[in-house]
Amino acid sequence: MMRLGWLIALIVAGLWPDDSARAQDWRSQTDCTAVERAAEGGDTSFYVDLAICHIRGEGREPDVAKGLVWLRKAVALGETDAMVELGNLYLFGAEGLAIDASGAVKLYARAARLGDPNAMFNMAVMHRGGYGLPENPRLARAWYLRSGEAGSAAGAFGAGVALMEGYGGRSDARRGVLWLRRAIEMGSAEAMNELGRLHAEGMGVASDSDKALYFYRAAARNELPDAMYRLGAAHYNGQLTDRNYVVAMRWFQLAADRGDYDAWFALGVMCETGRGVKSDRELALQMYRRAADSDQPAVREKAQRAIDRLLGLAEDDEDPVG
């Protein structure tokens, strides 16, 4: 099974689009003053960039109200990036802007009709349910496919997982794997990680330890914490490769440093049991307490059990890493 819900990762990645050419260009643009001069001089191609400067406070104090003015000007001109950004603000709320999920969907739908892959992906996420909207698996799957076809790596990944799991239609492992490979070609670390998992478990593809490790490492090179955790678990448990606690700890630390709470728990187990490092109960407690900050109930619960055990408040109940 996947260790974390893939939908959660997609929401985080997709609702603030970061794979568009505009987003990449904007990240390289450090002079918001120059952007402002260009936009106020009538260059409409800088309207969204200036809105982002104001909203995110790049080189200045954040000013959501000014950002909204420029976003709405860009929306009026048919800029799909502006529709997606404004939809995001409606969805999550901002100063002076009430949360409005239906308003966000209208903006995403408008941008999607104009061919924006990020908007198509957001439509898929919205149809997964939540935000006060009903779940519609068939439409979610259709939008994942459309966004993937339009060039969204996150959409291609979502399409692959939906097909593999039979979400929104019949399961089709062959097509699912093809979509995962397509997402990998677009640079999706999540798809690399998932294909690694499939090879590790022999699901939809041949069981192959070398390929599983290859794809996990590829995802880890692309800074995916879950892939780093899986490499740590592989070395810790002696699955897919030889058991090596020192290497396992190195991967767990890399994952933990990037916010993976399961990895903090694994480090706690290793510090407590003296695997890969000298046994240190105080250090183990620190690791478990970091894991207990997770927003995942299962991780919080097992971390708290470990903390209680070390404090003498509960019976021994060691949880394995896996």
Side-chain angles (χ1 to χ4, degrees):
M1 296 295 292
M2 295 189 70
R3 195 169 58 87
L4 293 175
W6 60 275
L7 173 61
I8 295 173
L10 291 181
I11 289 174
V12 172
L15 289 176
W16 287 98
D18 59 4
D19 56 356
S20 66
R22 177 183 291 279
Q24 293 172 18
D25 289 345
W26 180 81
R27 276 197 293 268
S28 67
Q29 172 58 260
T30 58
D31 189 354
C32 282
T33 301
V35 170
E36 188 168 34
R37 281 198 302 268
E40 291 184 343
D43 190 337
T44 60
S45 66
F46 283 96
Y47 283 9
V48 176
D49 300 311
L50 181 55
I52 294 172
C53 282
H54 283 303
I55 292 168
R56 300 184 185 175
E58 297 297 321
R60 62 186 62 208
E61 285 297 313
D63 191 329
V64 174
K66 284 185 179 179
L68 289 172
V69 169
W70 288 103
L71 274 184
R72 286 173 173 140
K73 285 183 178 182
V75 168
L77 292 171
E79 271 281 358
T80 60
D81 283 348
M83 295 172 196
V84 172
E85 289 288 351
L86 187 55
N88 294 339
L89 292 176
Y90 277 128
L91 187 63
F92 297 113
E95 183 180 344
L97 192 66
I99 292 176
D100 182 359
S102 62
V105 169
K106 289 177 182 176
L107 284 162
Y108 296 151
R110 182 178 171 188
R113 286 195 297 270
L114 292 171
D116 189 287
N118 290 306
M120 295 175 190
F121 174 78
N122 286 4
M123 288 295 290
V125 173
M126 298 302 286
H127 285 299
R128 288 283 306 195
Y131 305 104
L133 300 177
E135 182 179 15
N136 189 321
R138 182 185 62 80
L139 284 177
R141 174 163 157 164
W143 279 113
Y144 282 134
L145 287 164
R146 280 194 62 185
S147 62
E149 289 164 355
S152 167
F157 170 62
V161 175
L163 286 161
M164 293 293 298
E165 295 184 349
Y167 181 76
R170 70 180 182 85
S171 176
D172 189 333
R174 185 188 66 81
R175 284 184 66 207
V177 170
L178 288 174
W179 272 105
L180 290 176
R181 294 189 183 282
R182 189 167 174 178
I184 288 171
E185 291 172 0
M186 296 178 189
S188 170
E190 289 80 7
M192 299 170 195
N193 191 46
E194 177 65 357
L195 194 54
R197 184 186 73 86
L198 295 177
H199 277 296
E201 299 178 9
M203 295 177 58
V205 293
S207 177
D208 190 319
S209 297
D210 289 338
K211 286 185 178 179
L213 291 171
Y214 170 82
F215 285 112
Y216 285 156
R217 288 176 182 134
R221 285 195 297 272
N222 281 275
E223 292 293 308
L224 189 69
D226 187 59
M228 298 172 188
Y229 174 88
R230 289 179 184 277
L231 286 166
H235 286 285
Y236 181 92
N237 293 312
Q239 296 172 345
L240 307 178
T241 188
D242 294 334
R243 177 176 279 121
N244 186 320
Y245 290 137
V246 173
V247 175
M249 176 162 277
R250 188 181 308 140
W251 281 115
F252 286 143
Q253 186 65 63
L254 286 169
D257 288 342
R258 289 159 178 78
D260 191 300
Y261 291 100
D262 275 311
W264 283 117
F265 179 82
L267 289 171
V269 171
M270 298 188 79
C271 289
E272 181 183 357
T273 59
R275 294 170 182 163
V277 67
K278 184 179 178 180
S279 179
D280 187 327
R281 290 169 67 88
E282 287 303 315
L283 188 57
L285 268 174
Q286 292 180 35
M287 302 297 103
Y288 288 142
R289 285 171 175 147
R290 292 294 296 271
D293 289 332
S294 172
D295 60 0
Q296 300 292 312
V299 180
R300 285 201 309 271
E301 289 170 10
K302 68 180 181 180
Q304 191 58 55
R305 286 199 304 270
I307 292 168
D308 291 345
R309 182 180 65 248
L310 289 183
L311 294 177
L313 303 174
E315 296 294 327
D316 287 348
D317 180 29
E318 182 182 338
D319 287 56
V321 176

